[in-house]
Amino acid sequence: MQHRENHHKKHDLKNMTLDEIELFISGLGKEKYRAKQIMKWLYRSGITSFNEMSDLSKAFRAEIESIARISSLMIEETQKSVDGTKKILFRLEDGNVIESVLIREKNHWTLCVSTQVGCQMGCRFCLTGKYGFKRNLLPSEIVDQVTISRFNTPEGNDIKNIVMMGMGEPLANYENTVKAIKIITNDAGMGFSKRKITVSTCGIAPMIEQLGKDTSVNLAVSLNAPDNDTRGYLMPINRLYSIERLIAACKSFPMPQRRRITFEYILIDGINDSDGDAERLANLMNGVRCKFNLIPFNEFPGSEFKTPSDARIDAFRKILIKHKYTAVTRASKGRDILAACGQLRGTKENTR
Ligand code: SAH
Ligand code: SF4
């Protein structure tokens, strides 16, 4: 198992998939179906103590409590943007802070969750990347961003989509991310559809292929440049897995009819935003079932890049459209509270 049980000896039930809870309680000589009861309590009621599990016998509750525990993230603070976006700062048991972002859509909310404390991938344009890497999140810590948000924010009930686009690179924390997906989608618990979950990656090609075998979530790839020189300059991962290798992995990703891979493309003034770049991008993706999310670069204190003009952004988008692609410009929300793409860094200081 990849995850650590930080400083507690007891097994955290929130780190376990249904299969694992079943195994765990059958080790105690209990019936398998009790695992579903436990999952219901954990994820449909959001309870945090065994005492409240009223359909389990007192003796069983006492027994399980002596060897297992139920972890819980703490909401440290929430911040609200002028555009309605909300950033939630969670305090982890070891004192680290991570962030989730609630994004308002037309009739529901999307929750953007983190998968690591910081990030190792070192992309030049990303504040999370600049801030460095502390550690992987446990499955429980990924899942709890959803559970706690659901039960403890006014918007919680209306969270319909989950995007793994917060702090960190999900495919660099692969096992824990997949386990979290299994827990979030389990019918006995929150029962999110896999189609409502999107994993966003900087392009770790072999892990994209693995993800396609292990789950059926949506895939988003942060592309950000149409050639290896520019991409390698912006994103060190490209020196390991070239654009060609990345596209091969994307083509192998299993997708039902009418599903498409999302390519995220940050538009950076003078770096990757010319008409020529758009043309190259259009040619590059010929034959890939995809759509484009264009994200105007979000400046942050100390960033070396600039946001292009609106006219430039529009011209770039129109070239992709001319080539029959779907391309939308994604207005980054929550910039005033540093909740927008690439602005998360997991500290309380200097964020207002
Ligand atoms: N590590 C994964 C998931 C994090 S998502 C990934 O990179 O895909 C973070 C998203 O924000 C990515 O699409 C990234 O390209 C984008 N991003 C990072 N820094 C940004 C910035 N300064 N402005 C706009 N988008 C940014
Ligand atoms: Fe990490 Fe993604 Fe930021 Fe790159 S863009 S540093 S992979 S979080």
Side-chain angles (χ1 to χ4, degrees), residues 143-314:
V143 173
D144 239 11
Q145 294 170 63
V146 184
T147 317
I148 304 286
S149 302
R150 283 188 102 197
F151 288 110
N152 298 287
T153 69
E155 300 80 9
N157 262 331
D158 300 318
I159 297 172
K160 295 282 188 301
N161 295 306
I162 295 168
V163 294
M164 296 188 163
M165 295 184 183
M167 294 167 70
E169 166 53 41
L171 299 188
N173 183 16
Y174 186 79
E175 260 189 66
N176 292 352
T177 296
V178 167
K179 200 176 261 200
I181 291 167
K182 284 190 180 149
I183 297 171
I184 293 166
T185 55
N186 193 285
D187 284 336
M190 289 183 275
F192 271 91
S193 148
K194 294 202 175 64
R195 295 284 158 220
K196 299 289 179 195
I197 298 181
T198 301
V199 170
S200 177
T201 177
C202 62
I204 307 179
M207 301 322 284
I208 290 176
E209 287 156 358
Q210 191 62 43
L211 185 73
K213 290 181 187 142
D214 293 340
T215 74
S216 45
V217 294
N218 299 308
L219 180 67
V221 175
S222 299
L223 189 68
N224 301 334
D227 62 85
N228 284 315
D229 278 353
T230 313
R231 193 164 193 272
Y233 162 73
L234 292 173
M235 307 176 75
I237 190 70
N238 198 73
R239 299 170 209 161
L240 214 51
Y241 304 110
S242 67
I243 292 185
E244 294 71 29
R245 175 74 185 81
L246 176 58
I247 292 175
C250 290
K251 282 185 171 164
S252 82
F253 195 79
M255 280 186 301
Q257 284 296 313
R258 294 171 56 223
R259 281 275 151 187
R260 286 173 293 173
I261 292 176
T262 302
F263 286 109
E264 294 165 291
Y265 194 105
I266 307 176
L267 287 163
I268 307 175
D269 184 41
I271 302 280
N272 64 359
D273 64 341
S274 69
D275 286 354
D277 290 321
E279 293 285 351
R280 274 190 288 281
L281 182 60
N283 287 331
L284 189 64
M285 292 306 166
N286 203 0
V288 185
R289 277 165 57 200
C290 67
K291 58 185 173 191
F292 293 101
N293 258 352
L294 303 176
I295 314 172
F297 174 70
N298 286 314
E299 295 176 19
F300 51 81
S303 62
E304 60 188 298
F305 301 123
K306 294 254 166 315
T307 315
S309 68
D310 288 349
R312 183 87 298 274
I313 293 165
D314 220 43

Side-chain angles (χ1 to χ4, degrees), residues 119 121-123 125-126 128-129 166 168-169 202:
C119 185
M121 309 312 293
C123 303
F125 46 75
C126 176
T128 308
E169 166 53 41
C202 62

